[in-house]
Amino acid sequence: MATQSKGGKGLFEKFAEKVTKATGSTPVFLGAFLIVVVWAICGPIFDYSETWQLVINTGTTIITFLMVFLIQKSQNKDSLAIQIKLNELVASHELASNRIVDVEDISEEEMEVLEKYYQKLAALAQKTRSLKESHSIGEAQARHEMKVAEREKSKAKSPGRKDSDSKAKKASAKTQTTNSKSQSPKTPNSKPKPTQNSK
């Protein structure tokens, strides 16, 4: 799945990702800083003329103008990925409300209602337990053990094991039916042979 999504990226998307990663790196920052230093050193040579000022102003304006769109493009994708991951977490949890999924699309008034709800929930949580009690090392150990037990249960209920269990049950049922047929008494149709004493 990951290779397909990577292969499906557009040319502009790839370019935006590479540029935003490069601009955030140390060598690019040092290069930009060096350009500014060289420009400042060249000031006395060009007698601080308008052309000298125009070079740095035009260059920085063009770079900033283009970088705004590239950064916004990559930021939109990152925020969308985070929203999808959060929606998956909300949807997969049994006690979480599905109304929170795609909450960024609701109105501001509805968000204020949700905010009041969670503020009330936080206030109730502060009354019942302190942060040290609710996030203790003992609770972390208990959660870890619970997750390990759930994994073991899911492994035990895997489809391959279910198939083998069902096959074993069918085989045992067949053997029981054959044993019961062999041990069953003779039918009333089979008459005993008459003996000589009966004459």
Side-chain angles (χ1 to χ4, degrees):
M1 294 293 290
T3 54
Q4 289 179 356
S5 62
K6 283 183 180 178
K9 288 181 182 178
L11 187 63
F12 178 68
E13 191 175 350
K14 290 179 182 178
F15 177 72
E17 284 183 3
K18 287 180 180 178
V19 170
T20 48
K21 284 180 182 178
T23 51
S25 63
T26 305
V28 173
F29 171 76
L30 292 175
F33 181 74
L34 186 63
I35 289 170
V36 174
V37 170
V38 170
W39 170 80
I41 291 171
C42 293
I45 298 171
F46 292 100
D47 201 17
Y48 302 104
S49 63
E50 292 183 359
T51 307
W52 173 78
Q53 294 179 15
L54 190 63
V55 167
I56 194 69
N57 288 336
T58 306
T60 52
T61 303
I62 291 170
I63 292 170
T64 306
F65 178 75
L66 295 175
M67 283 300 300
V68 165
F69 297 102
L70 293 174
I71 291 170
Q72 190 63 45
K73 169 68 178 176
S74 60
Q75 200 171 16
N76 287 345
K77 184 183 176 185
D78 291 341
S79 62
L80 183 62
I82 290 169
Q83 287 172 9
I84 291 170
K85 289 177 182 178
L86 290 173
N87 289 341
E88 174 65 20
L89 290 174
V90 171
S92 63
H93 201 279
E94 293 179 358
L95 300 177
S97 174
N98 288 337
R99 294 179 182 179
I100 308 301
V101 177
D102 289 335
V103 73
E104 62 276 359
D105 294 332
I106 66 175
S107 64
E108 191 174 350
E109 294 177 357
E110 291 172 328
M111 280 191 181
E112 288 176 358
V113 172
L114 288 173
E115 186 183 7
K116 288 178 183 177
Y117 168 78
Y118 286 110
Q119 283 176 353
K120 181 67 177 177
L121 198 63
L124 292 172
Q126 286 176 358
K127 287 180 183 178
T128 54
R129 279 188 176 187
S130 66
L131 185 64
K132 292 179 181 178
E133 290 177 355
S134 62
H135 289 79
S136 61
I137 297 172
E139 187 185 8
Q141 182 69 26
R143 281 190 178 185
H144 174 71
E145 291 174 359
M146 183 180 69
K147 287 184 178 180
V148 170
E150 287 179 358
R151 285 177 190 166
E152 294 297 327
K153 286 180 181 178
S154 63
K155 284 180 182 177
K157 293 179 179 179
S158 61
R161 193 152 188 174
K162 281 183 180 178
D163 293 340
S164 61
D165 291 343
S166 62
K167 286 179 182 178
K169 286 179 181 178
K170 286 179 181 178
S172 63
K174 284 182 180 179
T175 53
Q176 286 177 0
T177 53
T178 53
N179 291 337
S180 61
K181 285 179 181 178
S182 61
Q183 292 177 358
S184 61
K186 293 181 180 180
T187 57
N189 293 335
S190 60
K191 294 180 180 179
K193 293 180 180 180
T195 58
Q196 293 179 354
N197 294 332
S198 61
K199 291 179 180 178

